[in-house]
Amino acid sequence: MKKFLILLFVLINIRSYSQEFFFGDSHIHKPEIISIGHNNLISEEIRYLILKVPDNTIFPMTGIDIKLGPTTKIYQEIDGVYGTEIIDFSAIEFNKNIPNIFKAVSFDQSYGYIYSLTVLSNSGTQLSIENSILSFKITNTNNSSNTYTCLVDNASNTITVDIPSNVNLSDYKYVMTFSDNADVSPINNSTVFLDASNQATITVTSQSGIDRTYTLTANISNNSLAEITKIRIEDSSNSNKFFETDITSTGATTAISIDITTGLDISNYKYIITHSEGSTTIPANNDSVGDLNTSNYKSFGVTSQDRARQNIYNLTINRVEDPTDTNAKLAKITHIRIEDMSDSSIYFETYTDSTGDISPVSLNVTTGLDISNYKYILTHSDGSTTNPINNSSVGDLNTSGSKSIQVTSNDQTNVNTYNLAINRVEIIKRIVSIDKPITLAYFPCWRESWPSEFGNSKLREIPSYVNTIFLSFAKPNMRYEKGSYDISATGIQTPYGGFTLLESINALNNKGIKVILSVGGETYWVGGLAETPNADCFDINYQHIKDFLDDFNIAGIDWDYEPNGQISILSEQFHINKFIEFITKSRAIMPKGEYLIACAPSGVGALGGVGPIPTGVDDPDSPYNNDYGVSLGDIHSTAGAVGTSPATLFGFASSGHFIPVMKAVGDKIDIVAYQGYNVGGSIDRVC
């Protein structure tokens, strides 16, 4: 084979500026960059060139000369097409920070490379060329727990996801992370839209204007469920007249029944059937009940959407005396509230499950508070009556401390009594001192139970040897009006209201347990990304948080920062700055000694990072630097230890993220709750 020696080179020169860039080739049929100036990036696909000019340069500018090898040709890309050969390169216009794309081609057209040339001023900074999707999810707009994680293949620029056919994608949105400073279309959190082929196009544009197009493909699977969950028999002329049954069991054959009034003619009624998405039933929805009026029996068949499964439901009609009046004999009170007549937001309440003839019920009320202007708000059985009645004054309850409340069933056959006793409780001040070792636990407020008739609940029963409780979680963008005790906009998810929450916190304070409000958690930081700095979660009102702490005798706050639910991105400079901002601004209105500020760094916090900040340890002599590859007891920082060591720091994305936070605001922090359970990717880690 005859070999050719091809010399392909390009010299770039600005006539008014002396800096030059050379690139060329000495390989057969293959142009290569030999030498380029400072601040240049080289990739396998595109050669990126940056040329700096004086700050006073007027843009758009021309006058950039290039010199080609004797056989090299050059073309400019316009709207994705490389046009005719460029003869006079000096006439090409360049705008500041906007890359121009060219192709240099060898003489026989067999090899060519793409060059991106960007002109900056001396004080300018190079725009990023990164345009990758890092993660991609399809998430329910109203319930983030309903999420489908997509597979992103950056090599093929494809995104794939499996979604059942019964999912209504109009209720879902795109949730993406992508390269810093890049833009994406459609934008983050926009509604999912697929074409007839169940595909969509996602375009990521780098800061420097380079587009990268991904193809999203949803693999839609048919629903294989064949279930009926409710059968209603409804009057065809009046939908308010019906009989129904809920079905919880499912099998090949399921027996069900509906109670219908004796002697009632239902021949004009129809079926309303609730069944699996995409499935079909025989009889179908809105079919007439036919001879059910006389036979009192009907078999229902349901077939799954994928036709793979069929189940039978055998319905039997039971003729009974007026089954719609099943509550007539109930005499039960489930909720007692005493409420300020002039301000309904001020109240005390208790719940009861008791149904006996005589049931004791207790209600905690602040010591010394005059409740003579309060009234009763009672929740009781449908149709039943109470004495005292709803909205009547509490009367002498303010002084007597007790009241018997009677409830009579609708049919007057049953009467039950609830003996209400008022417990006067002190307002306990918050505990902020740290005078002994801390034993700490998070308490998920959604796991709280209603206080029993003896005033106990899961939160109140925490043992005193746990001397610090992080009450989790409040929304970072919570809203709270001082003195209202209204927790509806705070994110706190206790089953009861603000006054009962105050009683629970006072019960802990009374046992010497510090209560700290944990702000954020995994779900309340949704949308909190560098590319969405104005996300709702960052709309923080620090005064509202302080007012909440003051009203509820809470010692301080714990910043549980997990941006967008991803602890792996905490080492990004944006999130480090946010962490510092949270602590600085909260400490500014919550003086040290009067309020506690805590945080729980995700990942390993300081250990295992590798410099420089923000990505890790910036001290080259630190024994905790990954470069040393040494172990700290059972905690290893070497790649080889990932699969076998009890705990590993190697490769954990947020390693070292808390070092710059401690350097900046460490003197403002009272408690650091080190997350020993988040130390990397070891298979069998313990601490």
Side-chain angles (χ1 to χ4, degrees), residues 108-124:
D108 62 356
Q109 303 288 311
S110 60
Y111 285 94
Y113 281 113
I114 309 301
Y115 297 93
S116 170
L117 175 58
T118 304
V119 180
L120 303 178
S121 62
N122 275 332
S123 59

Side-chain angles (χ1 to χ4, degrees), residues 263-319:
L264 178 66
D265 183 359
I266 60 171
S267 57
N268 192 44
Y269 280 55
K270 63 182 179 180
Y271 294 115
I272 303 295
I273 306 167
T274 304
H275 52 95
S276 305
E277 185 75 22
S279 64
T280 55
T281 63
I282 299 177
N285 254 323
N286 295 303
D287 280 357
S288 171
V289 301
D291 63 357
L292 183 67
N293 186 58
T294 54
S295 67
N296 293 321
Y297 179 85
K298 186 68 176 180
S299 286
F300 291 76
V302 55
T303 304
S304 63
Q305 184 180 33
D306 62 3
R307 318 300 295 176
R309 181 174 299 177
Q310 185 178 60
N311 290 322
I312 302 297
Y313 293 80
N314 292 325
L315 171 65
T316 300
I317 299 300
N318 299 321
R319 294 289 183 164

Side-chain angles (χ1 to χ4, degrees), residues 181-249:
N181 300 313
D183 293 319
V184 66
S185 177
I187 63 173
N188 229 343
N189 295 308
S190 59
T191 301
V192 173
F193 179 80
L194 303 179
D195 61 19
S197 300
N198 295 320
Q199 291 186 326
T201 297
I202 312 295
T203 302
V204 183
T205 305
S206 71
Q207 187 183 29
S208 59
I210 301 172
D211 288 340
R212 183 175 187 178
T213 300
Y214 291 79
T215 299
L216 167 65
T217 301
N219 300 316
I220 308 297
S221 58
N222 284 331
N223 196 336
S224 61
L225 294 178
E227 297 178 0
I228 294 177
T229 56
K230 177 180 286 189
I231 295 178
R232 172 185 290 198
I233 298 174
E234 180 181 292
D235 191 324
S236 298
S237 58
N238 186 352
S239 61
N240 291 322
K241 294 182 179 180
F242 62 87
F243 303 90
E244 65 183 7
T245 184
D246 291 314
I247 306 169
T248 57
S249 60

Side-chain angles (χ1 to χ4, degrees), residues 115-230:
Y115 297 93
S116 170
L117 175 58
T118 304
V119 180
L120 303 178
S121 62
N122 275 332
S123 59
T125 56
Q126 180 179 335
L127 300 180
S128 172
I129 63 170
E130 296 299 324
N131 55 5
S132 298
I133 290 179
L134 307 179
S135 69
F136 200 102
K137 296 179 180 179
I138 292 177
T139 298
N140 188 281
T141 304
N142 300 313
N143 184 359
S144 60
S145 64
N146 292 339
T147 293
Y148 297 92
T149 300
C150 307
L151 176 64
V152 179
D153 187 341
N154 281 301
S156 61
N157 293 339
T158 58
I159 308 166
T160 54
V161 62
D162 295 330
I163 297 179
S165 61
N166 62 332
V167 172
N168 183 3
L169 287 176
S170 64
D171 294 332
Y172 283 70
K173 62 183 179 180
Y174 298 120
V175 178
M176 301 168 272
T177 60
F178 41 88
S179 301
D180 290 344
N181 300 313
D183 293 319
V184 66
S185 177
I187 63 173
N188 229 343
N189 295 308
S190 59
T191 301
V192 173
F193 179 80
L194 303 179
D195 61 19
S197 300
N198 295 320
Q199 291 186 326
T201 297
I202 312 295
T203 302
V204 183
T205 305
S206 71
Q207 187 183 29
S208 59
I210 301 172
D211 288 340
R212 183 175 187 178
T213 300
Y214 291 79
T215 299
L216 167 65
T217 301
N219 300 316
I220 308 297
S221 58
N222 284 331
N223 196 336
S224 61
L225 294 178
E227 297 178 0
I228 294 177
T229 56
K230 177 180 286 189

